Amino acid sequence: MSRSTELIARQQHNLDAARSVRFVTDSIDGTLSEDHFRRYLVIEEAFVLTAVRILGLVVAESESLDEATDHVMSLSNLVGEQRTYFAGLRAQFPYDGDAQTLIQNSSVLSNYALGLARREGRAAALVAMFAAETLYLSWCRTALDNSVDREPALQEWIEMHTRPAFVAQVDALAREVDLMDGVDDATLDEWFAGMLAAENDFHNTVSV
């Protein structure tokens, strides 16, 4: 069994907990309110910049073009497909509250992920992103298998996180974890679990 597979197995209880927060369960069963979706769009778009910064660090600390290539592709997806997605929905789903306060209230995820990456470097950044992307691939696949009526924009977001380009991104992160001979299991678990805990706080901001 690969290290990434073993890591997911050890962290399955934390993944299950992260899949049980209200935003995720409402998205899966088709009951996410429009107000909560508007709030999610605000905070998730803000986090995309954090993800770009983290992957920028990963690329900067890569020692070869081969090491950097997969993460450059992920960056391209963030500043391309995802940026376009959010820009196209701003007029359709405007948020009439204080967006900056909402973003600040959800900043635990950005603070954890970016802080970890800056303190511990490339390996930690990759494990944090692996945790986040494994969570999204998991719950979005479950949602896609659940045939319910959803807001088309939410459906598109779910589908985006099950398409080959995103699966390839998760696979690339898994391969990086498999090669982390210099990081012990306890540290991998700490980084992975910490990211999922931050994801929970972040997603709970949607329904507060």
Side-chain angles (χ1 to χ4, degrees), residues 122-143:
R122 189 177 188 276
L126 289 165
V127 173
M129 293 304 295
F130 182 54
E133 307 299 45
T134 298
L135 170 63
Y136 264 71
L137 180 60
S138 174
W139 81 255
C140 287
R141 277 177 166 167
T142 299

Side-chain angles (χ1 to χ4, degrees), residues 17-198:
R19 284 168 46 104
S20 298
V21 299
R22 183 175 176 183
F23 164 73
V24 174
T25 58
D26 285 359
S27 296
I28 290 172
D29 64 25
T31 60
L32 185 70
S33 71
E34 184 173 305
D35 177 62
H36 288 175
F37 185 50
R38 290 172 189 267
R39 291 169 64 88
Y40 177 71
L41 290 174
V42 171
I43 65 173
E44 185 65 26
E45 182 175 11
F47 182 73
V48 168
L49 177 58
T50 296
V52 167
R53 288 170 171 160
I54 292 170
L55 289 177
L57 181 150
V58 168
V59 171
E61 293 191 5
S62 295
E63 295 184 354
S64 68
L65 286 175
D66 285 343
E67 278 193 0
T69 296
D70 287 330
H71 310 300
V72 171
M73 293 298 296
S74 296
L75 276 168
S76 178
N77 290 337
L78 288 170
V79 301
E81 182 179 38
Q82 291 201 20
R83 182 167 177 262
T84 299
Y85 172 84
F86 289 109
L89 293 178
R90 289 186 199 126
Q92 183 181 352
F93 295 99
Y95 178 65
D96 59 7
D98 183 342
Q100 289 307 310
T101 296
L102 179 60
I103 291 169
Q104 181 60 38
N105 290 342
S106 71
S107 63
V108 60
L109 182 59
S110 288
N111 291 343
Y112 176 81
L114 196 55
L116 179 68
R118 287 170 171 166
R119 287 192 313 274
E120 305 294 342
R122 189 177 188 276
L126 289 165
V127 173
M129 293 304 295
F130 182 54
E133 307 299 45
T134 298
L135 170 63
Y136 264 71
L137 180 60
S138 174
W139 81 255
C140 287
R141 277 177 166 167
T142 299
L144 203 60
D145 288 340
N146 192 17
S147 298
V148 297
D149 290 330
R150 294 188 186 90
E151 161 57 48
L154 175 59
Q155 182 69 18
E156 169 62 17
W157 182 247
I158 289 167
E159 291 178 2
M160 189 186 303
H161 288 82
T162 61
R163 290 175 184 149
F166 184 75
V167 174
Q169 182 176 330
V170 180
D171 288 345
L173 292 167
R175 288 193 296 273
E176 291 275 14
V177 173
D178 292 340
L179 296 173
M180 289 182 188
D181 295 335
V183 183
D184 60 30
D185 287 348
T187 302
L188 292 180
D189 287 336
E190 179 184 350
W191 292 342
F192 196 101
M195 187 65 173
L196 291 182

